[in-house]
């Protein structure tokens, strides 16, 4: 504010517009609860493990249900009732890539980007089911312009511009530890995207939901921009969600260890609820069942199916809000003299919301287990755990497993890892079954080969 007097009219106007966007009713509470204090979400007195569907049916009755669900899912996809939705508004600070994370080149042979792979996935599923699956993409002010440029330059990856709906999420102001709103520049408040939970509001506010209704879309396949293994359009997941009349459903993994850093699916007052790894008491994390498995074994991997009607229901009336989470961060800003500061230590608080906090608001919710090696390889870090290198290797490993399932011989090293670099384009196969129909197009794979099936 201090500098507003010295700003030219257009910058003054931009600042005033930014201020007008602030939620003055809520800010004082946020400062008290989350900025000056480490307020956290009320922890439930009692919680149980959440029930889930296993990756493969375990009984004859379940097998029958899976079969029906798969068929129903396929019918709904073919009838044009399903859309893809990626949340891509994050800052990607850990990866440190210059540009939107979706533009990160990830595929093992062709170095296709994440956006490119997702687009090919949707195109392939559209072709397979004789329909057009539109794609909704949430960005943030940090990367909206660049994302549009990427899609323009790529010709919307062949999806047709009219089938790609790119919209921005909201932002929240950044604070110093005393509760003052930080300024990014003389004419701008420091803000950050309001978390992936912001998607549930932004879908509605942006007109994406209206667009979906216009197209007859009823189910939204939600995924994150960092996971190239995600099975974008999954008939079984869709079918189970619809058969069980769920409003928001999730895929889960069996955790690799009791303290794995993923949210835990629990049941609180009969509602599926995610309890963060940092909040789950050790006693619960290590608790085991009679067979030795973890009592709280289901980890959240940010793959959801969301009914369009659920997003509408949440937003109608205007009062919908997800719980706020606080994150202590290094926040660049200007000081009282207008000098830019690049802090070396965390200097303030960012606020965000998480999409899984909407799960308990759903009347019903399904959890379907999936396998890590089949569906979860997020690119988060520059090196080490969850790095691009690990993801790429998992893409090769999955391709090798699919080829072997289809009866193709894959050379392996003594330690069991594939002795070749493999890439299966989504247009070539979306599932191992698709490969079986194309065996005549798969060459002999020799040790050290680089093979692209596209
Ligand atoms: P992450 O939690 O990995 O955060 O986001 P991030 O911002 O991408 O990366 P870091 O933590 O700065 O390294 C998980 C998913 O949620 C999206 C991200 O784009 C990613 O797909 N996301 C996150 C949003 O769309 N908006 C947000 O405000 C936050």
């Amino acid at each position: 504010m201090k500098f507003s007097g010295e700003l030219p009219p257009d910058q003054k106007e931009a600042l005033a517009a930014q201020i007008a966007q602030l939620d003055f009713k809520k800010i004082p509470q946020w400062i008290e609860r989350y900025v000056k204090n480490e307020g956290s979400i009320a922890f439930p007195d009692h919680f149980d493990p959440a029930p889930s569907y296993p990756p493969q049916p375990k009984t004859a009755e379940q097998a029958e249900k899976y079969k029906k669900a798969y068929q129903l899912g396929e019918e709904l996809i073919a009838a044009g009732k399903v859309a893809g939705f990626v949340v891509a508004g994050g800052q990607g600070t850990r990866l440190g890539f210059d540009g939107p994370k979706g533009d990160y080149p990830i595929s093992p042979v062709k170095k296709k980007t994440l956006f490119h792979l997702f687009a090919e996935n949707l195109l392939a599923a559209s072709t397979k089911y004789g329909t057009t699956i539109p794609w909704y993409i949430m960005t943030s002010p940090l990367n909206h312009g660049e994302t549009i440029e990427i899609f323009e330059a790529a010709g919307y990856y062949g999806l047709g511009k009219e089938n790609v709906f790119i919209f921005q999420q909201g932002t929240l102001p950044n604070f110093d530890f005393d509760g003052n709103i930080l300024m990014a520049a003389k004419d701008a408040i420091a803000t950050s995207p309001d978390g992936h939970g912001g998607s549930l509001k932004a879908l509605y506010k942006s007109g994406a939901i209206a667009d979906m209704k216009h197209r007859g879309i009823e189910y939204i396949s939600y995924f994150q921009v960092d996971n190239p293994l995600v099975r974008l359009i999954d008939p079984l997941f869709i079918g189970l969600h619809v058969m069980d009349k769920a409003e928001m459903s999730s895929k889960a993994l069996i955790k690799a260890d009791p303290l794995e850093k993923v949210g835990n699916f629990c049941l609180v007052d009969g509602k599926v609820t995610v309890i963060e790894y940092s909040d789950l008491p050790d006693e619960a994390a290590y608790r085991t069942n009679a067979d030795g498995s973890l009592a709280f074994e289901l980890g959240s991997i940010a793959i959801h199916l969301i009914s369009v009607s659920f997003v509408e229901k949440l937003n109608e009336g205007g009062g919908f809000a997800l719980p706020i989470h606080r994150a202590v961060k290094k926040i660049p800003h200007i000081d009282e003299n207008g000098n830019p500061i690049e802090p070396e230590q965390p200097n303030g608080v960012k606020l965000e919301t998480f999409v899984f906090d909407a799960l308990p608001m759903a009347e019903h919710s399904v959890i379907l287990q999936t396998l890590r090696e089949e569906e979860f390889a997020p690119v988060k870090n520059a090196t080490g755990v969850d790095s691009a290198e690990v993801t790429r290797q998992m893409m090769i490993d999955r391709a090798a497993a699919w080829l072997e399932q289809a009866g193709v011989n894959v050379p392996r090293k003594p330690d069991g890892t594939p002795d070749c670099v493999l890439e299966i384009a989504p247009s070539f196969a979306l599932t191992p079954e698709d490969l079986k129909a194309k065996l005549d197009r798969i060459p002999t794979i020799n040790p050290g080969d680089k093979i692209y099936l596209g």
Side-chain angles (χ1 to χ4, degrees):
M1 260 12 61
K2 183 175 170 193
F3 305 104
S4 62
E6 57 185 87
L7 294 175
D10 55 334
Q11 288 181 21
K12 212 174 191 169
E13 224 167 87
L15 180 60
Q18 220 193 354
I19 293 169
Q21 292 289 321
L22 296 174
D23 193 337
F24 287 104
K25 268 207 218 108
K26 295 209 178 119
I27 286 177
Q29 307 165 29
W30 291 342
I31 294 175
E32 218 33 63
R33 269 184 82 176
Y34 308 109
V35 180
K36 292 188 177 169
N37 295 294
E38 291 183 23
S40 60
I41 312 273
F43 194 75
D45 293 335
H46 187 81
F47 56 96
D48 294 306
S52 65
Y53 285 103
Q56 297 295 332
K58 287 191 169 154
T59 60
E61 198 188 336
Q62 213 166 37
E64 191 54 31
K65 180 158 189 184
Y66 277 40
K67 198 171 143 207
K68 285 201 177 123
Y70 197 94
Q71 277 169 1
L72 174 63
E74 288 201 307
E75 280 163 28
L76 292 166
I77 299 163
K81 305 257 177 235
V82 182
F85 173 41
V86 67
V87 286
Q91 295 182 286
T93 32
R94 284 170 288 172
L95 183 62
F97 174 61
D98 189 18
K101 206 190 253 190
D103 203 34
Y104 190 87
I106 192 67
S107 77
V109 177
K110 296 281 182 189
K111 300 286 178 285
K112 288 180 194 167
T113 66
L114 289 154
F115 280 145
H116 189 171
L117 290 176
F118 298 139
E120 269 196 23
N121 238 285
L122 289 172
L123 260 183
S126 297
T127 307
K128 183 169 179 173
Y129 292 105
T131 186
T132 300
I133 303 175
W135 190 12
Y136 296 82
I137 299 169
M138 184 176 83
T139 63
S140 67
L142 299 168
N143 59 21
H144 185 72
E146 275 179 287
T147 304
I148 303 241
E149 279 169 24
I150 290 163
F151 275 79
E152 285 285 338
Y156 289 79
Y157 303 100
L159 288 165
K161 188 173 178 169
E162 66 284 7
N163 299 316
V164 181
F165 190 114
I166 306 178
F167 64 96
Q168 294 192 62
Q169 67 180 108
T171 58
L172 290 171
N174 298 159
F175 301 88
D176 70 13
F177 292 121
D178 296 325
N180 302 305
I181 292 180
L182 290 165
M183 296 297 290
K186 287 183 179 177
D187 63 347
I189 291 171
T191 60
S192 49
D194 58 358
H196 40 64
S199 61
L200 294 171
K201 259 196 187 144
L203 274 168
Y204 192 78
K205 258 179 99 174
S206 65
I209 289 289
D211 184 76
M212 288 180 192
K213 288 185 74 178
H214 181 68
R215 290 170 184 266
I217 302 289
E218 292 179 23
Y219 308 103
I220 305 168
S221 176
Y222 170 108
F223 59 100
Q224 297 195 158
V225 76
D226 52 24
N227 180 18
L229 290 193
V230 62
R231 185 151 182 207
L232 259 179
I233 300 294
D234 183 346
L236 176 64
F237 190 32
I238 296 163
L240 289 173
H241 172 89
V242 176
M243 278 171 95
D244 285 3
K245 301 193 171 32
E247 292 184 307
M248 177 166 173
S249 295
S250 315
K251 281 200 186 169
L253 289 181
I254 301 294
K255 290 192 295 181
D257 62 75
L259 303 183
E260 183 174 359
K261 291 185 175 175
V262 288
N264 293 273
F265 283 113
C266 301
L267 212 53
V268 178
D269 294 333
K271 298 283 189 174
V272 170
T273 303
V274 171
I275 296 184
E276 283 190 84
Y277 62 88
S278 47
D279 291 337
L280 189 72
D282 273 4
E283 178 283 315
Y286 283 102
R287 197 186 307 163
T288 49
N289 300 311
D291 63 2
S293 60
L294 289 174
F296 292 92
E297 62 179 357
L298 298 177
S300 170
I301 49 171
I303 302 174
H304 299 284
L305 206 72
I306 306 172
S307 294
V308 168
S309 56
F310 181 57
V311 183
E312 277 193 293
K313 189 174 92 177
L314 290 177
N315 284 282
E316 276 162 3
F320 153 66
L322 289 172
I324 296 275
H325 296 255
R326 109 197 269 262
V328 170
K329 299 268 179 180
K330 290 184 235 168
I331 306 168
H333 63 104
I334 55 165
D335 65 13
E336 59 274 19
N337 300 316
N339 299 316
I341 307 284
E342 278 290 337
E344 284 178 6
Q345 297 300 327
N347 62 322
V349 173
K350 291 185 177 182
L351 304 177
E352 53 183 349
T353 58
F354 296 156
V355 74
F356 54 71
D357 281 329
L359 283 165
M361 300 175 186
E363 205 59 53
H364 296 288
S365 181
V366 160
I367 300 174
L368 173 62
Q369 290 177 34
T370 183
L371 302 175
R372 191 181 299 265
E373 60 274 20
E374 276 291 314
E375 230 185 327
F376 188 57
V379 185
K380 299 277 187 199
N381 301 311
T383 54
V385 182
D386 291 341
S387 62
E389 196 187 330
V390 173
T391 299
R392 233 169 250 140
Q393 189 57 47
M394 287 183 75
M395 294 174 83
I396 296 169
D397 293 346
R398 187 178 75 170
W402 283 15
L403 284 161
E404 285 170 342
Q405 277 178 52
V408 178
N409 189 43
V410 176
R412 288 187 178 267
K413 296 179 191 159
D415 67 359
T417 54
D419 189 6
C420 46
V421 180
L422 303 170
E423 178 174 338
I424 302 175
S427 54
F428 195 81
L430 287 171
T431 63
E433 293 72 48
D434 294 343
L435 279 181
K436 288 185 189 145
K438 296 190 172 164
L439 289 175
D440 55 330
R441 289 173 53 193
I442 302 173
T444 304
I445 307 173
N446 296 306
D449 274 356
K450 238 186 195 188
I451 304 278
Y452 172 74
L453 299 173

